[in-house]
Amino acid sequence: MNNNYGPPPGFSPPPFGYGPPPGAPIPPNPMNPGYPGGMPPMQPANNGLAIASLVTGIVGLFPGCCCVVLGIPLSVGALVMGLVAMSQINRSQGRQGGRGLAIAGAVLGGTGTAMSIINAAFSFSNQMMRSAHIHI
């Protein structure tokens, strides 16, 4: 009994190390069906300012609730870095990623800035009422 069937009639695979002939369709890659040619394209590296904006926005959000001295500079910095990072990402023509990080950092920076300003306004009005001896 012979178990060596060999290739089907009319088919001779290319030698090892050679791809399909020029002009032939590229066969699907069984290990990664979404990318028939092999490895998927690399994701662009995230913009450093986008990451810094997100981190600064998160850190600046919490002092904005209670400490205006720390909240405003951190939040404004996050807002500015987020806007600059979005501009750099747009100009990079796809070579840089992190647009979502930059947007999140800018939103957190804007929210922290607003919270710090509202907190400062309430603190100022509270101090004015105390100095005028008005108790509510």
Side-chain angles (χ1 to χ4, degrees), residues 46-63 74-86 89 97-112:
N46 286 333
N47 182 296
L49 273 180
I51 296 169
S53 171
L54 180 63
V55 171
T56 308
I58 291 170
V59 171
L61 191 63
F62 297 109
L74 289 172
S75 298
V76 169
L79 178 63
V80 170
M81 284 190 288
L83 295 174
V84 170
M86 281 191 284
I89 292 167
R99 182 170 176 77
L101 299 175
I103 292 171
V107 167
L108 286 172
T111 303

Side-chain angles (χ1 to χ4, degrees), residues 4-69:
N4 186 7
Y5 295 110
F11 176 78
S12 60
F16 179 74
Y18 291 93
I26 298 174
N29 181 356
M31 300 303 285
N32 194 356
Y35 300 97
M39 295 296 292
M42 297 294 293
Q43 292 287 340
N46 286 333
N47 182 296
L49 273 180
I51 296 169
S53 171
L54 180 63
V55 171
T56 308
I58 291 170
V59 171
L61 191 63
F62 297 109
C65 298
C66 56
C67 181
V68 176
V69 175

